[in-house]
Amino acid sequence: ARRRRSAAREGRGGTGTGMDAPSAAGLGGADPQLQRFIEVETQKQRFQQLVHQMTELCWEKCMDKPGPKLDSRAETCFVNCVERFIDTSQFILNRLEQTQKSKSAFSESLSD
C-alpha cells in the first residue's frame, strides 16, 4: 500500500514537465487501476501544460493593452495564434511519431 501511495503522489507531482511522472509500464506489478489512474493524471498534466504555454504565448503576442473589451484585432490575433499553436503541436507530434516509426523499422532491419 505504501508503494501505491507514493507512486500516485509522484504521478500528480513533479516539476510540471509531464516527464517526471513514472510511466505505467515502469510500475511493474502495480495494479491496473493504479496504472490507469497515473496515465490519466499524466495526460491531464500534459494538457494543462500545453494550455498554459499557449495562453502565455498568445497573450504576449496579441494583448498590447488590456482593457474592458477585446477589440477585433486582438480577437483575430488570439484565434490565429491558437490555431497556429495547435497546428505546430500536431506537426511536432506527427514528426516525432514518424521518427519513432523509422527508428523502429531501422532497428528491425538490423536484427534481420
Side-chain angles (χ1 to χ4, degrees), residues 16 43-56 85 89 93:
Q43 287 293 335
K44 287 179 186 177
Q45 183 181 17
R46 288 180 181 151
F47 178 76
Q48 288 295 330
Q49 182 183 14
L50 279 173
V51 169
H52 178 72
Q53 288 173 339
M54 180 183 62
T55 302
E56 186 176 356
F85 186 89
S89 297
L93 287 173

Side-chain angles (χ1 to χ4, degrees), residues 38-109:
I38 291 172
E39 288 172 6
V40 168
E41 291 300 310
T42 300
Q43 287 293 335
K44 287 179 186 177
Q45 183 181 17
R46 288 180 181 151
F47 178 76
Q48 288 295 330
Q49 182 183 14
L50 279 173
V51 169
H52 178 72
Q53 288 173 339
M54 180 183 62
T55 302
E56 186 176 356
L57 176 78
C58 294
W59 182 268
E60 290 296 319
K61 183 172 186 62
C62 299
M63 203 60 174
D64 293 332
K65 23 187 173 165
K69 293 175 99 180
L70 194 62
D71 64 16
S72 62
R73 187 203 64 77
E75 184 177 352
T76 302
C77 180
F78 277 116
V79 168
N80 289 333
C81 182
V82 169
E83 287 176 353
R84 295 305 70 80
F85 186 89
I86 292 169
D87 290 345
T88 302
S89 297
Q90 190 63 46
F91 173 80
I92 291 169
L93 287 173
N94 289 339
R95 183 71 177 139
L96 289 172
E97 188 176 281
Q98 289 173 354
T99 303
Q100 189 68 20
K101 284 180 183 177
S102 66
K103 281 183 181 179
S104 101
F106 179 72
S107 65
E108 286 177 12
S109 69

Side-chain angles (χ1 to χ4, degrees), residues 4-16:
R4 285 186 195 157
R5 278 191 226 119
S6 66
R9 273 194 303 259
E10 288 173 18
R12 288 188 303 257
T15 59

